[in-house]
Amino acid sequence: MPEHLLSRVEQCYQAAETFFKQPFARAEVCFKLRGQKAGVAHLTENKLRFNPQLYRENREDFLKQTVPHEVAHLIAHQLFGLKIQPHGAEWQLIMRGVYELPPNRCHSYTVQRRTVSRYIYRCSCPQGEFPFSAQRHSLVSKGRRYYCRRCKVTLSFTGEQRLE
């Protein structure tokens, strides 16, 4: 796990402790997050998950903005409880007051979409083409049936596969 990120998490906790003059329970930190999210705070588990790919590609901004963003969620939860809005006034107070950062809800990192296989199914309609995910295609091979809503015919696999 990148030491810079762990160090930044600790800095954020220390800044909050200085600001609020009270200790906060440290979160478990892991790097098991994929997809579009840069980070996630699991409030009741006191856990932070970060996206290693987005961290590698956006290191400076990630450390400056994303890490405090997620730590602020846990600090807000410890101070105010579960009934607050995720990006509400309490969270914004921490972002502005403690970290002196704009309370941006979302990152603007470029996210690489992975290519996925689509299995092409057809019915008897003129434009009756249905691209199935690998998961749905697997269910068909185990006996599940899908029907066209227009012509009510069982969809059948064409043998064609596409990458999207």
Side-chain angles (χ1 to χ4, degrees):
M1 178 147 346
E3 294 303 314
H4 287 46
L5 188 127
L6 290 174
S7 175
R8 181 64 173 139
V9 168
E10 181 58 28
Q11 288 172 358
C12 290
Y13 272 107
Q14 289 177 5
E17 288 175 339
T18 300
F19 187 88
F20 291 107
K21 297 178 180 30
Q22 74 175 67
F24 293 100
R26 298 305 193 260
E28 175 190 345
V29 179
C30 75
F31 252 100
K32 293 185 177 173
L33 186 63
R34 297 184 339 178
Q36 296 184 336
K37 292 182 179 180
V40 174
H42 297 277
L43 304 180
T44 56
E45 299 169 40
N46 198 29
K47 183 176 183 179
L48 295 170
R49 290 191 314 149
F50 292 105
N51 185 320
Q53 180 75 29
L54 293 180
Y55 172 68
R56 281 191 298 275
E57 295 170 358
N58 308 281
R59 190 166 306 201
E60 188 176 322
D61 189 69
F62 202 98
L63 292 171
K64 181 182 177 193
Q65 185 74 29
T66 301
V67 172
H69 175 118
E70 299 307 331
V71 173
H73 283 299
L74 295 179
I75 299 296
H77 170 67
Q78 289 182 39
L79 285 170
F80 306 106
L82 272 174
K83 296 193 187 253
I84 61 171
Q85 292 296 310
H87 297 103
E90 299 85 355
W91 175 82
Q92 290 180 33
L93 163 88
I94 295 165
M95 287 298 289
R96 285 191 184 107
V98 176
Y99 304 126
E100 298 177 355
L101 291 169
N104 298 331
R105 291 187 59 219
C106 302
H107 67 76
S108 57
Y109 307 143
T110 301
V111 178
Q112 295 291 326
R113 289 212 168 262
R114 61 189 175 122
T115 57
V116 292
S117 290
R118 295 293 179 201
Y119 299 84
I120 308 305
Y121 282 73
R122 284 207 166 76
C123 67
S124 59
C125 296
Q127 277 83 34
E129 182 177 289
F130 301 87
F132 278 21
S133 66
Q135 184 177 9
R136 184 167 281 183
H137 178 66
S138 174
L139 290 172
V140 170
S141 68
K142 292 175 184 170
R144 179 162 303 170
R145 291 184 172 188
Y146 292 91
Y147 300 94
C148 174
R149 290 183 179 174
R150 291 177 294 229
C151 67
K152 311 294 187 225
V153 169
T154 302
L155 301 179
S156 58
F157 181 49
T158 63
E160 187 184 343
Q161 190 175 342
R162 258 187 237 144
L163 291 177
E164 293 181 353

